[in-house]
Amino acid sequence: MTDIENAEDDRRVGRRSRVLKIVGLTLAGALVLGVGAAGWAYWHLNNNIKSVDIDSALGTGRPAKAVTTPSSAASASPVPTGSLNILVLGSDSRSGKENKSLGGGDSSGARSDTAMVVHLDAGRTRATIVSIPRDTLVTRPSCPLSSGGSTSVAYQVMFNSAYSVGGPVCAVKTVESITGVRMDHYLEIDFAGFAKLVDALGGVTVTTTQDIDDDDSHLHLKKGTHHLDGKQALALARTRHGIGDGSDLGRIGLQQMLVKALLTQISTHDLLTDPAKLYEITDAVTDSLTTDTGLDSLSELIGLGQSLKGLSADAVTTVTMPNVTAPSDPNRVVAKEPAASDLWESLR
């Protein structure tokens, strides 16, 4: 081989070496950027979640936790098992421009206008959702305050006053007091979060059995099937004056219908193959979410979600706490006994 041919070979090797270096650096840069973006996304979603240390605030003297003897298969699984009771509240938070625009009022506080006890069975394949009417008259126990001190015991007061006077801690304590059931976890989502979740899912399809004409919630629907966006779905969840006798019981029926419709909508998305959609939905949920400290990280919420992958909308039973009109006030209800106690006993 001549000196000229050798020199040409050296130049080709040099060019290939430079090309490989450029490709290698480009791939390395993309990998670093990808890992960095994933790390930022995880930090952002994790940082969205707000939490309250309910266990420390309430201490001892609470109902006992459910005891489940795991099978050998369950104990070998990384996915959580065992029955759980979760108090889920929908609050009409008055903070933030989005909540105000959706009907949250001024910035003076919030109420728990939706309260559901979600019971997951030990296999996480069935669930029972019990709605507690906000107008239920209860004995509200003394609750510790984050500022120090505690609230006074109050008799024959509306159930949703617990959140107003003592926040999530008092809401949990009041539910445990009237049910005798330990709340293993607490989840709260506000107006904006609910509307964002529905929009992130591409809306939700519901079928109403009667016309809805409610100026307060700004919702006007003819009976039939409708595909609602987030703002419309929120209005449906808040509607009470445009249906039935205008009481909270009619609204609860609409809320339970929405829960099942959302479960059905979620099941239509293969989120593992659509990271962008997964991020959008997760961001919508976590941005307006408050939990207890046992669910205040993305990994803990993902663990809970993974444990529910076998749960379908058909396996979810929705009921309302048995109730009757309060003798002292025709606009309020009280627990109907012994039916209410029997229901709560079945969840322990």
Side-chain angles (χ1 to χ4, degrees), residues 207-226:
T207 300
T208 59
T209 58
Q210 59 182 297
D211 294 346
I212 297 176
D213 190 18
D214 189 347
D215 290 332
D216 288 345
S217 67
H218 309 292
L219 185 67
H220 305 278
L221 291 177
K222 295 294 184 181
K223 69 177 181 179
T225 300
H226 304 273

Side-chain angles (χ1 to χ4, degrees), residues 34 58-59 67 73 83 115 119 143-144 162 221 227 233 286 289 299 340-341:
L58 294 184
V67 177
S83 63
H119 174 78
C143 299
L221 291 177
H227 190 74
T286 58
L289 191 68
S299 60
S341 292

